[in-house]
């Protein structure tokens, strides 16, 4: 009988939601939703030294921002809880005791110093370091002596000899390991806290997890988890190990790599849309049929096929992300983009936090003018800089335009046409440009480029009449006069 689909994302509360972890959560979410299954978020908090205050809340917050919702978890409960590992210690203890009683695990009193010495000796002899099993078969007298010394034991799993562990990976087909590759490994640390590979196997079984999609760095953990499943006679879940995410230089995406923003929070703060991030991350190591790349969440859920998970590393391309986010911004409601961008203009000191309605309307028009160019919200500050400058300076390309001999006549005529307008509105300004063409006999680039450069400082930009309207008559006339004075000195 086919097991009901139950998948999980199991973050540690060690800080912000990283791109790689977001992908793991997203793929498990897609798998669950595609198969009408359950998606569980379980907090793996046993590594107390790495836990940070607010780490769990941060994970939850940015998963929700991405549009990932779960069916069970520490924040909403569920019938398989608790969903934090430190709240499950009594559960683990039951299974530890069973392994000890059956002789499948044992107490080990080896100190860290002794382990380190053993590792160094193995390295010196050209061996792969692993625990030698020194305390595998202690007599009661030896154990009592260690206790008398005050040594705290860890508990190790007794790895079976001459056994092959195989599993059919969703992404990589069959993978196998020999038990001889492993020394007896710790399932409970000296402080009484279970280790990752033990706790995760117990949790996955008790929570009836059917499939596990995770990064390839977990491949080497899988045989240890299979050992626990075998020891208790449990059916293991089906594993799938996704490839690494690489940067543009095809190097592993590292949290120390400052070339690429690493955390979902950073993209939210920059003004990326969550739908675009969801779409982009879904294509990091998975590809749909066909050439299309822009999908809604519902569409991705419908077409998600784990058999199309890539066996090649995923490349994180920031330029592609900008392009994709731009596609979403262009098709988005203007009001939402205003909410996305306005805080950045306020934060940059370009606009006051409390604006009069007329100023807010002006800002909304300004944002709408650049909507189709915008790659992310914070970019609005740089794009609109010319609207907040009293004076402008011309770069080499702009000066080349202004040096044409017809430019002073065009600018003078245009200034006169603007002065004659009854209303300084885009349509009227467009009429003034046409009237300037008629008056000077100039057209095309000879007409438009000098006007654009003199009023905005740039040789390209959004609709010229709209830009001039938003700059305002006073600013535009001052810039035209300044340009004419500079050219006729």
């Amino acid at each position: 009988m086919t097991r009901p689909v139950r998948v999980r994302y199991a973050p540690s509360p060690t800080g912000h939601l990283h791109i790689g972890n977001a992908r793991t959560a997203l793929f498990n979410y897609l798998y669950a939703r595609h198969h009408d299954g359950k998606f569980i978020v379980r907090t793996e908090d046993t590594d107390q030294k790495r836990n940070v205050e607010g780490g769990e809340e941060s994970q939850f917050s940015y998963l929700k921002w991405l549009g990932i919702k779960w069916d069970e978890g520490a924040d909403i409960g569920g019938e398989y809880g608790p969903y934090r590992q430190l709240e499950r210690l009594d559960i683990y203890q039951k299974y530890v005791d069973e392994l000890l009683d059956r002789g499948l695990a044992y107490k080990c009193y080896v100190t860290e110093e002794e382990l380190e010495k053993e590792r160094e000796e193995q390295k010196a002899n050209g061996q792969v370091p692993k625990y030698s099993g020194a305390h595998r078969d202690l007599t009661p007298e030896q154990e009592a002596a260690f206790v008398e010394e005050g040594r705290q034991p860890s508990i190790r799993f007794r790895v079976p000899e001459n056994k092959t562990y195989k599993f059919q990976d969703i992404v990589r087909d069959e993978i196998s390991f020999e038990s001889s590759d492993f020394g007896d490994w710790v399932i409970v640390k000296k402080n009484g806290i279970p280790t990752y590979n033990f706790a995760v196997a117990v949790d996955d079984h008790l929570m009836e997890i059917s499939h596990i999609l995770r990064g390839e760095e977990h491949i080497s953990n899988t045989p240890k988890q299979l050992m626990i499943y075998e020891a208790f006679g449990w059916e293991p879940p089906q594993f799938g190990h996704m490839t690494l995410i690489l940067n543009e230089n095809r190097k592993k995406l590292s949290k120390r790599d400052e070339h690429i923003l690493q955390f979902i929070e950073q993209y939210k703060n920059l003004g990326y849309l969550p739908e675009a991030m969801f779409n982009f991350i879904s294509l990091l190591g998975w590809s749909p049929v066909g050439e299309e790349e822009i999908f809604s969440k519902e569409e991705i859920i419908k077409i998600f096929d784990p058999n199309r998970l890539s066996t090649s590393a995923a490349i994180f391309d920031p330029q592609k992300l900008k392009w994709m986010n731009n596609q979403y911004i262009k098709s988005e409601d203007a009001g939402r983009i205003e909410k996305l961008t306005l805080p950045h203009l306020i934060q940059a000191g370009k606009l006051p936090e409390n604006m009069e309605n007329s100023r807010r309307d002006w800002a909304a028009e300004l944002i709408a003018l650049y909507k189709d160019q915008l790659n992310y919200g914070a970019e609005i500050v740089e794009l609109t800089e010319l609207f907040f400058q009293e004076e402008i300076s011309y770069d080499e390309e702009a000066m080349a335009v202004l040096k044409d001999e017809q430019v002073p006549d065009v600018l003078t005529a245009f200034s006169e046409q603007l002065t004659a307008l009854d209303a300084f509105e885009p349509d009227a300004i467009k009429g003034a440009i046409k009237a300037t063409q008629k008056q000077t006999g100039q057209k095309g680039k000879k007409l438009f480029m000098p006007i654009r450069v003199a009023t905005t400082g740039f040789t390209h930009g959004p609709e010229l009449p709209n830009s001039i309207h938003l700059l305002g008559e006073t600013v535009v006339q001052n810039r035209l006069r300044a340009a004419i004075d500079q050219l006729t000195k």
Side-chain angles (χ1 to χ4, degrees):
M1 188 175 82
T2 305
R3 300 167 70 181
V5 170
R6 288 178 56 83
V7 300
R8 50 77 168 172
Y9 167 60
S12 299
T14 55
H16 307 293
L17 180 59
H18 185 261
I19 286 288
N21 292 336
R23 181 185 69 164
T24 298
L26 178 56
F27 282 9
N28 280 282
Y29 169 82
L30 291 173
Y31 194 94
R33 294 293 175 259
H34 179 79
H35 292 284
D36 295 321
K38 298 293 185 182
F39 175 57
I40 295 94
V41 173
R42 185 177 70 223
T43 305
E44 297 186 345
D45 56 355
T46 55
D47 192 347
Q48 295 168 286
K49 291 180 181 178
R50 295 179 62 232
N51 295 347
V52 299
E53 188 175 351
E56 183 183 70
E57 292 83 350
S58 177
Q59 289 271 338
F60 290 172
S61 173
Y62 291 104
L63 286 173
K64 290 174 183 175
W65 179 79
L66 277 172
I68 298 174
K69 295 182 179 179
W70 45 99
D71 303 294
E72 302 168 28
D75 59 333
I76 58 175
E79 60 180 297
Y80 294 85
Y83 293 92
R84 296 186 185 97
Q85 286 187 329
L86 283 179
E87 296 173 5
R88 298 173 61 83
L89 296 182
D90 289 345
I91 296 172
Y92 304 133
Q93 190 59 52
K94 169 189 169 185
Y95 293 99
V96 171
D97 290 343
E98 181 178 337
L99 291 176
L100 287 170
D101 289 345
R102 293 168 56 198
L104 299 178
Y106 60 92
K107 294 180 180 180
C108 172
Y109 294 86
V110 175
T111 65
E112 285 301 318
E113 293 75 19
E114 289 169 341
L115 283 173
E116 182 60 30
K117 182 180 178 183
E118 184 176 272
R119 282 191 289 264
E120 292 302 322
E121 288 175 352
Q122 288 170 337
K123 286 180 185 177
N125 294 328
Q127 299 171 305
V128 177
K130 64 179 182 181
Y131 175 59
S132 64
H135 288 189
R136 205 171 205 250
D137 298 300
L138 293 176
T139 64
E141 292 76 19
Q142 287 173 316
E143 189 168 343
F146 286 133
V147 171
E148 183 69 23
E149 281 183 42
R151 293 196 187 194
Q152 291 295 319
S154 60
I155 297 175
R156 290 182 180 270
F157 183 80
R158 197 182 295 272
V159 175
E161 296 179 5
N162 303 316
K163 185 167 183 61
T164 301
Y165 289 93
K166 294 181 182 179
F167 62 97
Q168 193 69 23
D169 193 279
I170 295 171
V171 181
R172 300 158 187 275
D173 294 328
E174 187 175 274
I175 299 176
S176 65
F177 291 87
E178 299 302 321
S179 61
S180 57
D181 296 336
F182 301 87
D184 294 345
W185 52 280
V186 175
I187 61 172
V188 180
K189 292 175 279 190
K190 293 180 187 295
N191 63 2
I193 302 295
T195 59
Y196 168 79
N197 281 310
F198 177 71
V200 77
V202 172
D203 289 342
D204 286 339
H205 169 71
L206 294 180
M207 294 183 183
E208 299 184 9
I209 301 302
S210 62
H211 299 77
I212 296 172
L213 296 177
R214 56 189 181 184
E216 68 175 27
E217 67 273 14
H218 285 285
I219 290 176
S220 60
N221 288 324
T222 308
K224 291 182 179 180
Q225 293 162 24
L226 291 175
M227 291 177 197
I228 299 301
Y229 273 85
E230 182 184 65
F232 291 111
W234 298 337
E235 179 187 355
Q238 189 170 356
F239 297 95
H241 292 91
M242 300 172 289
T243 57
L244 294 172
I245 301 176
L246 305 181
N247 64 21
E248 296 162 289
N249 299 319
R250 305 193 73 82
K251 292 185 178 179
K252 183 180 177 181
L253 198 62
S254 164
K255 293 179 182 179
R256 293 182 293 277
D257 182 359
E258 296 181 0
H259 175 62
I260 292 177
L261 299 179
Q262 299 284 306
F263 301 101
I264 299 301
E265 179 181 8
Q266 293 171 303
Y267 290 98
K268 179 179 183 292
N269 291 343
L270 279 172
Y272 280 79
L273 291 171
E275 301 94 323
M277 293 298 299
F278 187 104
N279 192 161
F280 177 78
I281 294 171
S282 74
L283 300 177
L284 288 176
W286 172 78
S287 60
V289 176
E291 300 299 320
E292 182 62 49
E293 293 187 299
I294 303 294
F295 301 99
S296 68
K297 178 166 74 171
E298 292 71 27
E299 288 170 332
I300 297 172
I301 288 171
K302 184 177 180 180
I303 63 177
F304 184 75
D305 180 359
N307 292 320
R308 294 190 63 83
L309 288 168
S310 176
T311 56
S312 302
I315 305 297
F316 190 100
D317 183 350
Q319 297 308 313
K320 181 176 178 180
L321 174 55
K322 286 181 183 179
W323 169 81
M324 186 171 284
N325 201 58
N326 172 257
Q327 301 304 301
Y328 276 85
I329 286 175
K330 285 196 289 191
S331 63
E332 190 51 73
D333 173 74
R336 187 180 179 200
I337 302 307
E338 181 184 338
K339 290 179 182 177
L340 187 76
T341 53
L342 195 57
H344 295 285
L345 289 169
I346 293 170
Q347 187 178 359
K350 305 299 183 183
L351 292 170
E353 192 163 353
N354 298 309
M355 283 177 271
E356 295 180 354
N357 288 339
S358 59
R359 187 62 168 165
R360 184 172 287 274
D361 291 343
W362 177 86
E365 279 191 68
L366 179 63
I367 291 165
L369 188 66
Y370 284 92
K371 181 170 175 279
D372 286 355
Q373 286 180 247
L374 203 61
N375 292 315
Y376 54 91
E379 206 174 41
I380 196 69
V381 176
E382 182 181 351
L383 287 174
T384 61
E385 181 62 32
L386 70 96
F387 291 89
F388 301 98
Q389 293 175 327
E390 287 298 320
E391 297 180 358
I392 54 176
S393 57
Y394 308 112
D395 61 18
E396 191 175 328
E397 186 180 7
M399 280 305 303
V401 170
L402 294 178
K403 285 178 180 178
D404 282 356
E405 60 180 358
Q406 87 287 359
V407 170
D409 290 343
V410 168
L411 298 185
T412 301
F414 183 58
S415 177
E416 292 169 355
Q417 294 294 337
L418 291 180
T419 302
L421 294 180
D422 293 329
F424 203 76
E425 297 295 330
D427 286 344
I429 294 165
K430 192 173 184 179
I433 295 174
K434 287 183 178 178
T436 303
Q437 176 183 337
K438 189 174 181 180
Q439 180 179 336
T440 62
Q442 302 295 334
K443 60 183 179 179
K445 286 187 176 181
K446 294 286 186 179
L447 173 71
F448 288 98
M449 288 296 277
I451 294 175
R452 181 179 289 282
V453 168
T455 55
T456 71
F458 295 97
T459 56
H460 52 83
E463 283 289 325
L464 185 55
N466 300 70
S467 297
I468 291 172
H469 159 66
L470 287 169
L471 283 166
E473 185 172 7
T474 301
V475 170
V476 168
Q477 290 286 21
N478 286 342
R479 289 182 178 182
L480 287 170
R481 280 193 291 272
I484 293 166
D485 290 345
Q486 184 174 339
L487 294 173
T488 56
K489 280 182 181 178

